[in-house]
Each structure stands twice: as C-alpha cells, then as structure tokens.
C-alpha cells in the first residue's frame, strides 16, 4: 500500500494526521502544499481535495480528505495502537473531545476565516488575534471539564482527542493565550509531546528547509 | 435503556440527532432547551453539556455530547440501518462529507458566532447573513463535487452525510441561498426529506406548541 500525505507544516489538521501516522509507525511519502503560495487552491490540489484544503492522504491513488476521516481510516486499517476506543460510550466520549477542537475551535480560526474577517469587516491583526484567542478559550473551558483522570485527555494512552489537542495548544501558545486555567489540557499536552511520535510530527520537523 | 434528548427545534445539530434516532426507530424522551431564553447556558444544561450547547443525549443518565459522536454511538449501539459504512474507504468518504458540513460550514454560522460578529465588529443583519451564506456556499461547492451516484449523498440509502446535509439545506433555504449550482445536494435533500424519518425530525415538528 502506497501512502502519500499532502500537507503543510503549520496546518493544524495536517499536524493531527502526521501525529496519527507517527503513533502507528506508518511510512508515507510527504508532498508539501504551500499555503503561503496559495497552492491549496491550485488545480493539482483541488483535483484531490475539493475544498482546497490540506491534508489529503492518498491511498494507492485514492484521495482521502478531512483529518478526522483520515484518522478513522488509519485506525480501522492500522489498529495498533488504537486511537478511537471500540467500547461505544468511551468511543463517543473520545470523539466528543476531538470534535470540540475539530468543529468548535479550529474551523473558526482557520486562515480563510481570518482573511474573511479582514476583507468583510476590515479586522486588523489585533482584532483577528482577539477573535482567534476567544474561540480557543471558549473550547478549552469546556474541554478542561471533559478531561478524564489523565495523564492524556483520552486516559492512560494518547487517543484521538490528544491528537487534536496538541496542535491546538501549539496554536494557543503562538497566540500567547494564557493556559493556567486549563491544567488538565496542559498536562495532556506535556505527556503527549514527550513522546517521540508527537515530536516527530511537530511543525518545525515538517517545515521545508 | 432510557434515552433523553435535550435539544432545540431549530438547532442544526439537534435536527441531525433527531433524524438519526428516527431512521433507526428509537424511542426517546425529548426535553427542549430554549436557546431564545439562553437556557443552554443555565446550570442544568452546563451540568450535562460543558460547552453549553445542544444536543445532549442522556443514556441511562450518562450524557453524550457533540452530534457526530452521538450518531456514532447510535450507530454502534443500534446498527440497523447503518449510517456509517463499515468498509474503511467508504467509511472515510462518508465521514468526510459529513465533516464538511459539521466542521467547515455549520460552526461558522452558529448563533454564538453571529453574536460575536455583532459584538466585536458591529456586523448588522445584512453583514451577518452575507457571512452565513458565504460559508454555506464554500462548503456546498466542495460537497457537490464529493457526492456519489445518488440519489442520497451516501449512495443508495441515506447515511451520516445526508443526516448532516438536510439541516444545512434547511438553513440555506431560510437564508435564501440560491441552490441551482448544487444539483446533487438538492437531489439528495429531496430524496431524504421524502422519507418519513426525515419528516418526523423536521424543526416544525419539534417546535414546542
């Protein structure tokens, strides 16, 4: 099976998929799509990703899109280690934590949304940063309450919620959002980023030279 | 097993869960949470839904949140009819279509976001409606290209993408977004809404008298 990941080093959704691939020890070819050059909207990327987004995982030429759908495919195809529990209630709880990040934080702070705030409302950098931090904080307050006993968000081992959390914490730190109010999230992030798989997927390691 | 759905008649995410319950023919008790009265932020709702959102499905007293996680739980617990395919690639493709709506359209047009546009940028109703339509159109362009042979988005029978599409088309019509550019989506919506389960879950049927 040949896997090709079309990604961008700083994209949160790409970072999630890199973490999942690394946790499972899966080899893949990486093809960067430069968001700075607007390559995501080029014909090559639109042919495999109708939204003009990253990441896309090509599986023997079949493109899979949407990071959580890609991670679900990885989890059913390479179940060791499992990132989404099989027991129905534990499964729903892990997915819910992941979806708080993937639906209710990240899409609101995406590059296309920040650009739209600028074009439609004339939002300057300060206003865009305030917007960005607002939605992270809203989501983190809830996620902190949804965390279990730890050390990871998903329990004793990292799961799909941790895969989504770490890139979001990376963004929160870039935006200088204070994190003291979220001790369970900071603990989960520290436990995860201490693992070689999370380190291997870090944007600094994926950044083209 | 006792199921209690805390929902709001016009909430898209609640509408999704009502459709899934109806398709599977599952009996449940309904407890409305009035978004007009801000009841979602009351202590009762926050105790079961840390985001202060709807819907929440209580399963013998255990609250499940996030509509896609709830639908996943319903699908593993009541697999007839299955809404998420089991074959890994078909599964990833169905989830991807659902996530286009659930991550990249709906959260951008949520009530809390429209309120924030008003408070942070002074956006009037016209500006908020333009914003709302913009993100639906962006997502629908991609989703139209992701549709299969039909009649439903997910193929010969309605699946999780159809469950997400129908409430989003309902919103698009409320906002008077032209739909002529999305024939596959309009066809899937028509096929779905002709089914008794989709009709039973419609906001007008869930609206308190």
């Amino acid at each position: 099976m040949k896997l090709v990941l079309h990604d961008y080093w700083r994209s949160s959704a790409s970072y999630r998929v890199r973490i999942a691939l690394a946790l499972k020890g899966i080899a893949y070819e990486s093809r960067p799509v430069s968001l700075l050059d607007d390559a995501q909207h080029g014909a090559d990327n639109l042919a495999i990703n109708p939204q003009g987004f990253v990441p896309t995982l090509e599986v023997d030429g079949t493109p899979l899109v949407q990071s959580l759908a890609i991670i679900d495919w990885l989890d059913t195809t390479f179940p060791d280690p499992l990132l989404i529990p099989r027991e129905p209630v534990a499964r729903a709880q892990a997915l819910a934590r992941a979806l708080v990040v993937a639906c209710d934080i990240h899409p609101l702070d995406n590059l296309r949304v920040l650009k739209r705030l600028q074009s439609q409302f004339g939002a300057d950098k300060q206003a865009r940063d305030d917007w960005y931090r607002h939605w992270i904080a809203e989501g983190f307050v809830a996620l902190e309450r949804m965390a279990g006993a730890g050390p990871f968000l998903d329990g004793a081992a990292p799961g799909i919620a941790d895969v989504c959390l770490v890139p979001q914490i990376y963004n929160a730190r870039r935006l200088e959002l204070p994190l003291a109010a979220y001790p369970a999230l900071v603990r989960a992030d520290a436990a995860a980023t201490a693992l070689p798989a999370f380190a291997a997927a870090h944007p600094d390691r994926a950044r083209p030279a």
Side-chain angles (χ1 to χ4, degrees), chain A residues 6 10-11 15 17-18 22 30 39 43-44 47 56 58 66 88 113 123 166 172 177 180 188 194 202:
Chain A
H6 302 257
R10 198 172 245 177
S11 138
Y15 189 0
V17 173
R18 289 197 305 267
S30 178
D44 285 357
T56 307
E58 273 191 90
Q66 283 284 345
V113 174
V166 165
L177 179 79
H202 192 278

Side-chain angles (χ1 to χ4, degrees), chain A residues 18 27 42 51 56 74 139 154:
Chain A
R18 289 197 305 267
Q51 292 185 277
T56 307
L74 289 170
D154 285 324

Side-chain angles (χ1 to χ4, degrees), chain A residues 63-132:
Chain A
L64 303 181
V65 300
Q66 283 284 345
S67 61
L68 293 195
I70 295 170
I71 292 168
D72 183 278
W73 180 84
L74 289 170
D75 223 36
T76 51
T77 310
F78 304 96
D80 183 27
L82 210 56
L83 300 177
I84 313 171
R86 295 242 164 103
E87 191 280 313
V89 168
R91 179 178 179 83
Q93 290 170 337
L95 288 173
R97 287 187 287 259
L99 290 164
V100 168
V101 175
C103 293
D104 296 322
I105 300 178
H106 176 63
L108 291 159
D109 290 337
N110 226 330
L111 189 58
R112 65 180 188 142
V113 174
L114 303 177
K115 283 183 175 171
R116 179 81 188 182
L117 290 176
Q118 188 169 18
S119 66
Q120 189 177 349
F121 301 108
D124 61 13
K125 183 167 188 320
Q126 179 66 48
R128 297 194 305 270
D129 286 357
D130 284 349
W131 168 278
Y132 199 129

